[in-house]
Amino acid sequence: MTLAPGGPERIQLCGPLVIERDGMRVESGLRGRQARLIFGYLTLNRHRSCSRDELAHAIWGDAVPEAGGADLNALVSKLRRTLGHEAIEGRSSLRLMLGPDAWVDVEAAEKAAHKAETRIVLHDWTHAWGPSLSALFISERLLLPGVEADWIEERRARLNEIHLRALEAYAAAALGIGGTELNAAVRSAHRLVRLAPLRENGYQILMHALAAQGNVGEALLVHADLSRLLREELGVTPSPATQAVHRELLRG
């Protein structure tokens, strides 16, 4: 199977593993937990070399087997057979070598979220909409499903933060575009509030979106809910930015 004829390398770590080189899908050559762990680790750290001890710890944690050196050699050989000998550089330290146009989904999500946020600052809602959706589609899938390690949990936490940033950017872009996108703004803001209940930006977008739909009373209830949550959880009041939205709603 191929994802596209020819083209640069494409690697998908979120959701089902996909590795495409020269238009060919090759991930079937990396069956097994350990092979996917070392490939995932090298991909996520592809801009630097990783020592063999570091890789062994990434695969086995604190329980590196006595034959860990030989087992690691076998895994590296499997990578080279699957990806091509030139794809893994080094001996005492190893680095995954990809072409300048290589696409890695985790990297693409972070870049798209940053681009969307930049366009939001400029109130360029239309050009924020697409990148925010791209980041959302990638970040909502689980990173390296089926394998567990401390470093994977750390990376999943970072990806979750990208997901929240993308969701906030998408909600803001939909609000800025307005019209038929207001429903998407409300849905996305509601979702952001559920996922990050102490993140006030989600409430601000939700209040604006509801008011734009003519539901000012419901928007005021959102502020009341946030005020109660912050008082009960943290003993504080909403931020000046949130209070400004509230005053705007009261003025009509």
Side-chain angles (χ1 to χ4, degrees), residues 117 120 132 136 161-174 188-189 192 199-202 205:
E117 290 169 334
I120 291 295
S132 65
L136 271 178
E161 178 59 27
I162 292 172
H163 183 73
L164 294 176
R165 289 167 50 199
L167 185 58
E168 182 179 321
Y170 175 66
S188 300
L192 182 59
R199 201 180 188 110
E200 291 193 42
N201 288 355
I205 296 170

Side-chain angles (χ1 to χ4, degrees), residues 131-153:
S132 65
L133 269 182
S134 297
L136 271 178
F137 289 153
I138 295 170
S139 61
E140 68 186 1
R141 298 192 295 262
L142 183 65
L143 175 67
L144 294 170
V147 292
E148 302 295 332
D150 289 343
W151 61 268
I152 294 177
E153 287 304 313

Side-chain angles (χ1 to χ4, degrees), residues 68-149:
D71 291 345
L72 184 59
N73 287 338
L75 290 172
V76 173
S77 295
K78 180 183 285 191
L79 286 178
R80 286 182 166 136
R81 286 196 303 272
T82 301
L83 306 175
H85 186 81
E86 74 287 350
I88 306 297
E89 179 185 76
R91 293 187 178 277
S92 59
S93 294
L94 302 173
R95 181 178 174 184
L96 178 66
M97 304 300 296
L98 300 176
D101 297 326
W103 182 90
V104 179
D105 61 349
V106 177
E107 297 173 6
E110 186 164 12
K111 290 177 182 177
H114 178 71
K115 181 177 181 180
E117 290 169 334
T118 300
R119 305 321 299 178
I120 291 295
V121 170
L122 298 173
H123 292 186
D124 186 0
W125 316 116
T126 301
H127 290 99
W129 187 85
S132 65
L133 269 182
S134 297
L136 271 178
F137 289 153
I138 295 170
S139 61
E140 68 186 1
R141 298 192 295 262
L142 183 65
L143 175 67
L144 294 170
V147 292
E148 302 295 332

